[in-house]
């Protein structure tokens, strides 16, 4: 052991190159692979190839009336879902005030996303004063909160069901799901074609529907529905597009959706693997070089006895 340590002390350059090279490779590769793992772990559901987000101005921002307009006009659309996140709310329950995140959604949300309900039905959200709450939030309210009421934004809501907490989902982690028609959304519904906000509109189409055909139909619906907007901002008409579910990602806190470029992810993955390969080769190369040099020293020692 002493001779080995003495050998290493005499070859500091080799050791420095090996340690620095391998450390740099792992320093880049590990965060990249962690990022890829996070993006790949998003729950795609069972029918993601037939789910698209409609983007009238190039971003995911839409208005409250777009979902019904598309559903009524395009026969290939089997279901649509609209989602709007309200992150900071105060709920009053039995004289106790609790912080809660809220998600306004249409009933189609439960067809497009894998959300498990314990008690209650998705159709319950047809009533604008019914809500579903998460398991974690239900534990804060006490045993069996179904059937009870709380006050949110000066409106009373009835708890009709409990859903599993969201994990690895495009949807933001939320405590409460209210109807897209609830009082929380009254401002948006006063101008259903003009009140732009982070309302995400997704559609599920029948199997066999071609993306090109769907894109063209969505373009026609958007041009007609937002004719007043496009007359004022004609340059945004060129940005109308649809994005398939597996090409959608979200930011750190899942409040905003972003587009994921599949080719970019593959490039990052390839680059990460190359870094790891170079790290291993660097280690093997320098280890072999040190072994040969150490072998010569042992040979000389044996020769000289």
């Amino acid at each position: 052991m002493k001779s080995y340590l003495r050998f290493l002390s005499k070859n500091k350059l080799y050791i420095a190159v090996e340690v620095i090279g391998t450390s740099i490779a792992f320093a880049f590769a590990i965060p990249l692979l962690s990022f890829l793992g996070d993006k790949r772990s998003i729950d795609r559901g069972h029918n993601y190839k037939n789910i698209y987000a409609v983007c009238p101005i190039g971003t995911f921002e839409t208005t409250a009336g777009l979902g019904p307009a598309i559903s009524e006009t395009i026969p290939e659309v089997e279901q649509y879902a609209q989602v709007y996140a309200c992150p900071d709310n105060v709920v009053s329950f039995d004289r106790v005030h609790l912080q809660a995140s809220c998600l306004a959604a249409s009933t189609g949300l439960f067809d497009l996303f894998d959300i498990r309900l314990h008690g209650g039905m998705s159709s319950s959200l047809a009533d604008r004063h019914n809500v579903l709450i998460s398991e974690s939030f239900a534990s804060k309210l006490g045993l069996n909160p179904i059937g009870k009421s709380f006050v949110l934004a000066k409106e009373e809501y009835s708890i009709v069901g409990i859903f599993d907490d969201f994990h690895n989902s495009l949807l933001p982690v939320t405590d409460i799901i209210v109807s897209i028609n609830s009082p929380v959304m009254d401002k948006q519904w006063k101008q259903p074609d003009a009140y732009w906000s982070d309302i995400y509109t997704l559609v599920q189409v029948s199997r066999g529907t071609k993306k090109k055909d769907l894109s063209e139909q969505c373009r026609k619906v958007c041009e007609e529905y937002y004719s007043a907007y496009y007359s004022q901002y004609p340059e945004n008409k060129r940005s109308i597009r649809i994005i398939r579910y597996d090409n959608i990602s979200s930011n750190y806190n899942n409040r905003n959706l972003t587009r994921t470029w599949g080719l970019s992810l593959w490039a990052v993955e390839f680059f990460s693997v190359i870094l790891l390969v170079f790290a291993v080769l660097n280690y093997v190369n320098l280890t072999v070089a040190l072994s040969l040099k150490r072998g010569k020293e042992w040979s000389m020692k044996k020769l000289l006895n």
Side-chain angles (χ1 to χ4, degrees):
M1 186 65 182
K2 290 181 179 179
S3 61
Y4 180 69
L5 293 175
R6 188 163 52 249
F7 172 79
L8 292 180
S9 66
K10 293 179 181 179
N11 297 275
K12 295 178 180 178
L13 180 61
Y14 282 106
I15 302 303
V17 170
E18 182 174 330
V19 171
I20 293 173
T22 305
S23 299
I24 291 175
F26 277 108
F28 280 97
I30 291 175
L32 289 175
L33 291 173
S34 177
F35 167 78
L36 286 170
D38 179 64
K39 295 302 179 185
R40 300 290 188 192
S41 66
I42 292 177
D43 180 18
R44 294 183 177 182
H46 61 280
N47 199 26
Y48 71 92
K49 291 184 178 180
N50 297 313
I51 297 175
Y52 295 86
V54 183
C55 307
I57 56 175
T59 68
F60 292 89
E61 186 179 5
T62 70
T63 65
L66 180 60
I70 288 178
S71 179
E72 294 168 3
T73 307
I74 303 177
E76 288 82 3
V77 173
E78 297 179 338
Q79 185 59 272
Y80 77 92
Q82 288 189 286
V83 182
Y84 178 72
C86 312
D88 300 313
N89 304 276
V90 177
V91 171
S92 299
F93 180 79
D94 285 345
R95 299 181 181 180
V96 177
H97 301 293
L98 300 170
Q99 285 289 128
S101 56
C102 177
L103 195 71
S106 60
T107 56
L109 176 77
F110 299 88
D111 295 315
L112 273 64
F113 292 88
D114 291 330
I115 303 174
R116 295 183 181 180
L117 289 174
H118 305 282
M121 298 182 293
S122 60
S123 58
S124 301
L125 291 183
D127 188 316
R128 62 191 252 117
H129 284 94
N130 284 346
V131 299
L132 302 169
I133 62 174
S134 68
E135 280 188 314
S136 58
F137 193 69
S139 65
K140 295 179 182 179
L141 300 183
L143 296 174
N144 194 20
I146 295 178
K148 297 181 179 180
S149 301
F150 61 70
V151 175
L152 170 65
K154 299 181 180 181
E155 293 282 345
E156 186 171 337
Y157 293 88
S158 299
I159 302 171
V160 295
I162 300 173
F163 61 89
D164 285 349
D165 293 343
F166 295 161
H167 298 288
N168 299 327
S169 175
L170 284 179
L171 299 173
V173 176
T174 189
D175 299 309
I176 303 167
I177 298 179
V178 301
S179 171
I180 195 73
N181 299 309
S182 69
V184 173
M185 301 294 293
D186 281 348
K187 288 183 180 179
Q188 285 85 342
W189 281 111
K190 286 180 180 179
Q191 296 178 298
D193 62 342
Y195 195 112
W196 294 87
S197 58
D198 290 327
I199 300 175
Y200 306 133
T201 302
L202 299 100
V203 297
Q204 178 178 300
V205 297
S206 55
R207 294 183 182 275
T209 302
K210 295 181 179 180
K211 181 180 178 180
K212 183 178 180 181
D213 296 337
L214 177 64
S215 179
E216 186 59 32
Q217 293 184 76
C218 287
R219 174 176 291 276
K220 290 180 180 178
V221 172
C222 289
E223 288 178 351
E224 181 177 350
Y225 191 71
Y226 295 124
S227 57
Y229 173 82
Y230 290 132
S231 64
Q232 189 175 0
Y233 304 100
E235 67 278 3
N236 285 339
K237 188 184 294 188
R238 296 190 296 270
S239 301
I240 301 173
R241 67 189 66 184
I242 60 172
I243 301 174
R244 204 171 76 171
Y245 184 89
D246 56 335
N247 290 323
I248 303 173
S249 183
S250 57
N251 64 2
Y252 177 74
N253 56 8
N254 282 36
R255 296 302 173 194
N256 298 303
L257 297 184
T258 58
R259 184 171 185 177
T260 297
W261 296 93
L263 183 61
S264 298
L265 287 181
W266 282 112
V268 171
E269 191 168 347
F270 177 76
F271 182 65
S272 301
V273 172
I274 291 296
L275 281 174
L276 290 176
V277 170
F278 273 111
V280 172
L281 290 177
N282 176 63
Y283 175 79
V284 171
N285 182 44
L286 291 173
T287 301
V288 170
L290 287 172
S291 299
L292 292 174
K293 192 171 182 180
R294 183 167 167 76
K296 290 180 181 180
E297 289 187 6
W298 276 104
S299 299
M300 289 297 294
K301 286 182 179 180
K302 287 183 179 181
L303 183 63
L304 298 173
N305 197 18

